[in-house]
């Protein structure tokens, strides 16, 4: 279970870092499929994914990116966060069974606009960066 953090704008400073880990499971894949309606065979069919040269079904990129919402809403800054934007780049495929470390680092604090910029990344158990993001979030002052 995640522990809800409660950073305020006054507590935000460049370099502040938070992280957590998550494992991609069959259950997460099925739940994301049900929520999103994305039935692309690369996510659902072992044989289709193998035919495309992958060792297994490819995880939904947006499932991986959804953990940036968890990062911002739970860890950095946490409960006082309102997402303004998340710009995401997908670097490498993710597979069922992969354990991802999601890390965010405060890059900029804009007190005038009550907004922070967070550089975030997802790294798999082999140390490979699989996804990265720039998050802009509003904060209570």
């Amino acid at each position: 279970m995640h522990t809800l953090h409660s950073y305020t704008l006054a507590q935000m400073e460049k370099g502040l870092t938070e992280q957590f880990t998550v494992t991609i499971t069959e259950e997460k894949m099925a739940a994301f499929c049900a929520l999103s309606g994305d039935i692309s065979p690369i996510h659902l069919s072992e044989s289709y994914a193998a035919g495309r040269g992958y060792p297994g079904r490819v995880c939904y990129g947006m499932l991986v990116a959804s953990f940036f919402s968890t990062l911002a809403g739970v860890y950095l800054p946490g409960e006082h966060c309102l997402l303004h934007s998340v710009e995401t780049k997908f670097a490498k495929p993710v597979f069922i069974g992969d354990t991802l470390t999601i890390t965010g680092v405060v890059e900029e604090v804009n007190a005038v606009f009550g907004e922070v910029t967070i550089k975030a990344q997802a790294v798999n158990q082999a140390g490979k960066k699989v996804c990265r993001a720039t998050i802009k979030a509003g904060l209570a002052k």
Side-chain angles (χ1 to χ4, degrees):
M1 185 52 104
H2 302 288
T3 300
L4 183 63
H5 293 188
S6 301
Y7 290 108
T8 62
L9 187 65
Q11 293 172 311
M12 291 276 105
E13 58 184 44
K14 186 174 180 163
L16 182 62
T17 303
E18 292 287 350
Q19 70 178 30
F20 66 97
T21 60
V22 63
T23 300
I24 303 302
T25 63
E26 291 276 357
E27 294 78 16
K28 286 180 177 68
M29 289 284 287
F32 192 87
C33 179
L35 285 170
S36 69
D38 184 345
I39 57 168
S40 171
I42 201 153
H43 306 304
L44 302 178
S45 167
E46 291 284 341
S47 61
Y48 182 87
R52 296 279 307 272
Y54 295 106
R57 295 164 39 206
V58 177
C59 179
Y60 294 94
M62 293 306 290
L63 173 55
V64 174
S66 76
F67 299 119
F68 295 133
S69 177
T70 306
L71 176 71
V74 177
Y75 292 94
L76 188 65
E79 75 170 300
H80 303 301
C81 171
L82 180 63
L83 281 179
H84 290 175
S85 66
V86 180
E87 182 182 330
T88 305
K89 303 288 185 192
F90 304 101
K92 296 193 179 313
V94 172
F95 303 97
I96 295 167
D98 282 357
T99 296
L100 306 178
T101 300
I102 312 298
T103 305
V105 180
V106 174
E107 182 176 73
E108 181 183 346
V109 180
N110 186 323
V112 174
F113 293 108
E115 183 179 77
V116 295
T117 302
I118 298 165
K119 288 292 189 183
Q121 65 180 13
V123 175
N124 69 15
Q125 66 280 357
K128 304 282 187 196
K129 188 185 302 181
V130 297
C131 194
R132 65 183 190 275
T134 300
I135 301 167
K136 292 191 182 278
L139 270 153
K141 293 186 181 187

